[in-house]
Each structure stands twice: as structure tokens, then as C-alpha cells.
Amino acid sequence: MAQEKREKAIDLSHHLSELSKKRQTSPLKGLAKYFGRPGLISLAGGMPSEAYFPFANIGGDALIPESFAVKADEQESSVSWFWKLFGKPKERTNPITVPKFPTKPDEINLAVALQYGMSTGLPQLQKFIDEFIAKVYQPAYSNCESLVQTGNTDGWSRAMQTLCNPGEMILTEDWTYPSALASARPFGIEPVPVPMDKEGMKSDELRKVLAEWDEKARGAKRPHVMYTVPVGQNPSGATMGAERKKEIYDICVEYDVIIVEDDPYFFLQMGEYKPKSIRDQQSAATESDDQFLANLAPSFVKFDYQGRVIRLDTFSKYIAPGSRLGFFTCNPMFSERLQRQGETSTQAPCGFGQSLIAQLLTTWKFNGYARWLHGLATQYTDRRNFFVDCFAEEFHLQLTTGAQGAWEGCAVYAASPKPRGNAMSEKYSVGTKMFSFVPPTSGMFLWINMHFENHPSIQSEPEETLEMKLWTKIADAGVLIAPGWYFAANDDIPEAGHGHFRISFSNAEFPDLKKAVQIFSKVTREFFEEQ
């Protein structure tokens, strides 16, 4: 949408919480508008002298944006990938340095980065972020703003407190990121689960929840805030496409709902999984960095012509979690309220992390960062493929089509044990379905549905007990995975006879991933043989 045709965000101030309405400009931060005035002698703040900062400069050897290939058949072995991260001589790097004092105007420097500063962050970083938002997310209203935060968990906590009063409820997927719920519940804010399918939250189910809301029966007003992880949905790995987002956005306009879009996996979109035999027969086409960005499922921001989306982005998955750096994309009114909260809490993300990442990004520039993200997406796609291939080696995987529930219409792989040599256990059939999964289309996780209805003890023990018993056995055998109940929005979600596990393929090296699946296979087989 052309800049001149876009309207400004509408007034959504009625969504502010009572706490947020009471926030005033921090008394000390209110002085900042005078900073930078020529000839000003500032004696107002308790700012230490920059001359006493014990760093003349900080820096490092940064990988070049082309460090990772963008075609699967160009990838090196997992071991070489591992060593690349530890600076072996073959690695191509460029040095970046942040000096204490600038040698030219607008240069990133420690005198500013390590000093008490504005909660808006370093101006050079904000300039890069604003350009990035405009080119990649393409907001549908004209006065969209960005604001730094210390990662998406902090971002959600600030957004939740800005929008919600105690006793209210929030809309979310029926399986979701547990820390989002944990941060809301102490404020008396409870989730309302909305059923999912292969694209995440279902629009028809969302409309049903909102249209049929019974305030007396629910004990709360109809929710006016939605929390969603639309790409690499945590834990399911689903990717919400453009049409679904348009449908959900239109419903949120109709029922006046604010969308908090938590999107840490946005650039780790992978497409559908294809078995190794098919991949070996096909040659992946080379995709340019511009094509990579254009082919991503768009953000809710692209359809947000009213300014009712607060988008959460983080550098945790693309640069480093320890940087504790991310940013909001939202309308000016929300940005101002979020800034007021930041002024009296985190103030601003750590200056060390801000300065290094800002220097890295301004050195790479937009095209370099796009190339880096493209390479990362290919790496994680290879990891997803390898991990699912490992399950295919250990189990008989039958491709089926989901008939109901969250996986209706999905390509579902049902896992049953393979025969072991010439011997077959008499305690269960080789064809017994032990678990099933839909390969993720984004993100870092494989979401497994355990079929405990086929376990011999299902009549005597509830499925949640079987889930934790199996989880404990797998952990004792040396593999730690996440039990499914962590991610349930409420206790009513699990289906009878089923349990779930979320298994990450993002961090371990390929040999360890393979070993982990072998351990999972052995323990699961033995578990289903128990009486």
C-alpha cells in the first residue's frame, strides 16, 4: 500500500488498563528532551562520567552474512557447522568495533550506549529497525512506530499489563507458550483457549467464542486482547498463512480485539516436510534473498490498517538470546504507554548488547541481514528434515490425513514399531500406533501426540500419569524433552487416551539428535510393552 494512501491508526485508548492510564513520564526521563541541546551543561541526572567507563572499545569478529548456504545440497556436515561457530580458520569474518567516543557524527559509541539512556534505545538501532519493519512487514497504516524491549517474554509482559486489568481474560491458542500464561496469571488474567488446526488458531472457532460469550457464565467480560504465536506456533510448529490472518484480523475489528503477535520464529519458515527419498530426487531451486522474504507468510501488521496489532520481535533466535534485545511494532499511543512502563522498569536493553548488535546490523545493512536470515532458515529446515528422517529410521511411519481436531486435513505421520530382527514381541503388535506428528512448517519444535489408548495400562491409569511416566523414563535414559501439559491453555484440552511431548531440534548436533531419537525409540517401545 502506497505511503500516501495509508491512514493513521485509529484511537484505541479505551483498551488501556487502569494501571497503564496512571503511568506518567518518569521524572528523571522527562529531562531527556533537553539532552543534546548545544551548549547545555547538564547537572540534573545521576550519570557517571563516561571517562570512567573501563572500556576503551568493545568488538568482535562477526561472521559474514553469507556464512550459511541457502540451498540444502550446499550444506556442510553438522560437525563442520558446529566448528564454524567457534571460529576455525576457514571461517570468514569481519571485525566490528564500538569505540568509547565517536570519531564522526552518528557513530555508535560506548559513551552513549553504556550511559543511562532513553527507553527507546540507540538511535542507530532504531533507524535500522524502522527501515526493516517498513520493508519486511509493510504496515498498513502510516504512523506505525517501533520501540526496543528486552526480548519477547518481557515484551508480552509489558503489553499484557498495558492492556489488561485483573480479572479479565485473554484469547489464545488452546496449546501455547507457557511463560505467556505464567506471566499473566499472577495478575488474575486467565486464558480462553481457541481450537487450532494446521494453521494455528481457527477463525471460525474464534468467532464462535466471541459471538457466544456469556459474561455471567464466564465470570468476566468478553476478551478484548488476543495472544498468538502465528509462525512456528509454540508448541505445534504451525504456520498461519495470509488468508487466515486476514480472517482473524477482520473478526478482531468486528469485536474490537487487540492482537498481540508474538513472532520469534518468523524467519524460520520451512515449508512442508518431504521424505528423504523425495528430496533426493528433487533439486531445490535457488531462491534470492528478496524472494525468500517475499515468500514468507506475512505478519498481521501487513493487514493492520487500524493499529490494533502489537507485534513482538526478538533477536534471540537470529543473533543470540543473551543479547536480551527485541522490539515492538505498534501504533504511537501503545508505543508511548509501553515506553512509560519501560522507563520505570527495564529502562532500556543492556548497552553492551545494543551497541554490538547495532554495529553488526549497520555493518551488514539491510541486504546483509536478509542474507543472514535466509541462511538461518535453510539451516533450520535441514535440521527439521534430518530430525524427522531419524524418526523414519527408527519407526514405521505411515502417512495419513488427519480426520479431526487440530490436525484435521494435515499430513500426519503415524509411528508404529518396526520388527526387531526375526523376533516379534507378543505383548503388542508391530502395527500398534504409539504416537503421531505433523512435521513443523516453521520454528524449532516437533509436537508429538502419544496414543496412550494403545498402552496396556490405559484402563487403570489416566493419560496424564502415563505421559509423565514415559517422560521420566526418557529423561532417566538421558534425553530431556518437554511434557505436553506445560503448553495446555487449560486442563480441559487433552483428549482422552492421548498425551503430548514437545521435542526441540534446534540446538543439539546431528549425531546427538540421532542418538536422542534412538533412545526415545528404545524407551517408548519398552514402555508400550509394559503390563
Side-chain angles (χ1 to χ4, degrees):
M1 186 179 294
Q3 176 77 23
E4 62 273 15
K5 295 182 180 179
R6 294 182 297 164
E7 301 292 336
K8 290 186 177 181
I10 66 172
D11 182 7
L12 294 166
S13 57
H14 58 283
H15 285 282
L16 294 175
S17 68
E18 294 304 314
L19 176 63
S20 180
K21 291 175 184 177
K22 294 177 181 177
R23 294 191 186 279
Q24 303 294 320
T25 300
S26 168
L28 293 178
K29 297 302 178 184
L31 303 176
K33 65 181 180 180
Y34 296 101
F35 293 168
R37 178 178 293 182
L40 179 74
I41 300 174
S42 176
L43 303 178
M47 300 166 67
S49 170
E50 294 88 352
Y52 302 152
F53 293 170
F55 296 93
N57 61 69
I58 60 172
D61 293 326
L63 299 181
I64 63 171
E66 299 81 12
S67 292
F68 301 116
V70 296
K71 285 186 65 177
D73 56 6
E74 297 175 13
Q75 300 301 311
E76 300 177 16
S77 71
S78 170
V79 174
S80 66
W81 182 90
F82 173 78
W83 288 118
K84 288 173 80 172
L85 295 183
F86 289 86
K88 288 298 179 180
K90 65 185 297 184
E91 189 55 67
R92 296 171 59 193
T93 63
N94 286 322
I96 60 171
T97 301
V98 182
K100 179 182 286 190
F101 298 105
T103 57
K104 55 186 178 182
D106 298 328
E107 185 176 44
I108 299 168
N109 62 89
L110 298 181
V112 172
L114 301 188
Q115 186 56 272
Y116 290 119
M118 297 293 291
S119 56
T120 52
L122 294 178
Q124 299 92 335
L125 177 63
Q126 188 172 42
K127 181 179 178 181
F128 182 93
I129 289 171
D130 289 342
E131 177 192 5
F132 190 80
I133 289 170
K135 289 183 176 180
V136 178
Y137 303 139
Q138 302 170 10
Y141 61 100
S142 62
N143 57 339
C144 185
E145 293 188 352
S146 67
L147 178 70
V148 293
Q149 31 92 334
T150 60
N152 280 12
T153 301
D154 166 60
W156 160 244
S157 180
R158 287 166 66 176
M160 176 266 297
Q161 293 179 57
T162 297
L163 297 169
C164 300
N165 291 307
E168 292 184 349
M169 305 185 81
I170 56 172
L171 300 155
T172 188
E173 292 94 346
D174 51 11
W175 299 96
T176 192
Y177 177 48
S179 291
L181 305 183
S183 62
R185 281 180 166 136
F187 291 91
I189 299 166
E190 293 293 329
V192 179
V194 179
M196 300 163 55
D197 64 8
K198 63 181 180 181
E199 289 193 63
M201 184 181 291
K202 299 178 68 173
S203 54
D204 57 343
E205 292 288 350
L206 172 63
R207 178 178 291 280
K208 181 179 180 182
V209 168
L210 292 170
E212 298 178 0
W213 189 265
D214 186 330
E215 185 173 324
K216 184 176 180 180
R218 295 274 194 168
K221 294 180 179 180
R222 188 172 64 199
H224 67 106
V225 175
M226 173 197 297
Y227 172 81
T228 180
V229 184
V231 173
Q233 199 278 334
N234 190 357
S236 74
T239 304
M240 187 181 292
E243 290 304 315
R244 177 66 58 81
K245 283 175 177 165
K246 288 179 184 177
E247 293 169 1
I248 287 179
Y249 183 82
D250 288 344
I251 293 170
C252 289
V253 169
E254 181 180 350
Y255 287 93
D256 194 21
V257 174
I258 301 299
I259 300 171
V260 181
E261 180 181 29
D262 186 1
D263 219 350
Y265 312 106
F266 182 81
F267 297 100
L268 303 184
Q269 299 185 34
M270 308 166 183
E272 299 290 336
Y273 167 80
K274 295 180 180 178
K276 190 174 186 299
S277 58
I278 297 177
R279 297 199 308 272
D280 289 344
Q281 298 170 13
Q282 297 177 346
S283 177
T286 302
E287 184 181 52
S288 71
D289 300 331
D290 287 342
Q291 289 171 327
F292 162 71
L293 293 176
N295 290 335
L296 295 173
S299 166
F300 271 109
V301 169
K302 187 170 184 177
F303 311 112
D304 181 22
Y305 59 90
Q306 293 188 333
R308 64 174 58 250
V309 174
I310 299 178
R311 179 180 171 83
L312 310 180
D313 274 282
T314 177
F315 292 107
S316 293
K317 307 303 188 292
Y318 314 125
I319 294 182
S323 66
R324 304 317 306 142
L325 184 62
F327 57 95
F328 297 101
T329 302
C330 58
N331 75 52
M333 185 270 296
F334 286 150
S335 176
E336 187 272 339
R337 290 290 89 190
L338 291 164
Q339 183 180 345
R340 295 290 83 80
Q341 183 175 353
E343 288 173 349
T344 54
S345 57
T346 57
Q347 295 195 17
C350 174
F352 289 105
Q354 275 200 78
S355 59
L356 282 174
I357 291 180
Q359 190 73 292
L360 176 69
L361 295 176
T362 54
T363 300
W364 278 354
K365 301 187 185 307
F366 175 84
N367 288 339
Y369 189 41
R371 175 59 180 79
W372 174 261
L373 294 170
H374 192 180
L376 284 187
T378 304
Q379 289 286 331
Y380 280 97
T381 300
D382 286 352
R383 284 177 163 272
R384 186 273 312 266
N385 291 345
F386 179 83
F387 196 50
V388 176
D389 291 346
C390 289
F391 279 91
E393 293 176 6
E394 292 295 319
F395 297 93
H396 173 66
L397 297 183
Q398 181 181 0
L399 180 59
T400 63
T401 300
Q404 59 183 0
W407 288 349
E408 183 177 357
C410 294
V412 180
Y413 288 85
S416 57
K418 288 181 176 179
R420 290 174 287 187
N422 295 322
M424 291 175 58
S425 171
E426 296 180 358
K427 296 183 179 180
Y428 67 90
S429 166
V430 171
T432 299
K433 184 164 64 173
M434 295 189 293
F435 62 90
S436 58
F437 63 88
V438 174
T441 52
S442 301
M444 298 178 167
F445 310 111
L446 184 67
W447 180 240
I448 285 182
N449 179 9
M450 298 301 304
H451 293 279
F452 290 132
E453 74 272 16
N454 295 324
H455 190 276
S457 300
I458 186 60
Q459 300 300 324
S460 57
E461 296 194 51
E463 53 269 19
E464 60 267 24
T465 303
L466 291 173
E467 178 180 286
M468 289 309 298
K469 278 191 172 183
L470 177 55
W471 178 86
T472 301
K473 289 179 180 292
I474 295 170
D476 288 343
V479 178
L480 189 64
I481 59 180
W485 65 267
Y486 280 12
F487 306 91
N490 65 28
D491 297 334
D492 299 330
I493 290 171
E495 301 174 34
H498 291 245
H500 297 82
F501 296 119
R502 193 198 72 174
I503 310 179
S504 171
F505 53 83
S506 61
N507 183 259
E509 291 308 308
F510 281 27
D512 289 334
L513 289 175
K514 187 178 184 69
K515 181 179 179 182
V517 176
Q518 291 171 342
I519 293 172
F520 178 90
S521 172
K522 180 177 183 297
V523 173
T524 302
R525 281 173 175 268
E526 293 173 352
F527 185 74
F528 272 80
E529 290 179 345
E530 293 177 351
Q531 295 290 346

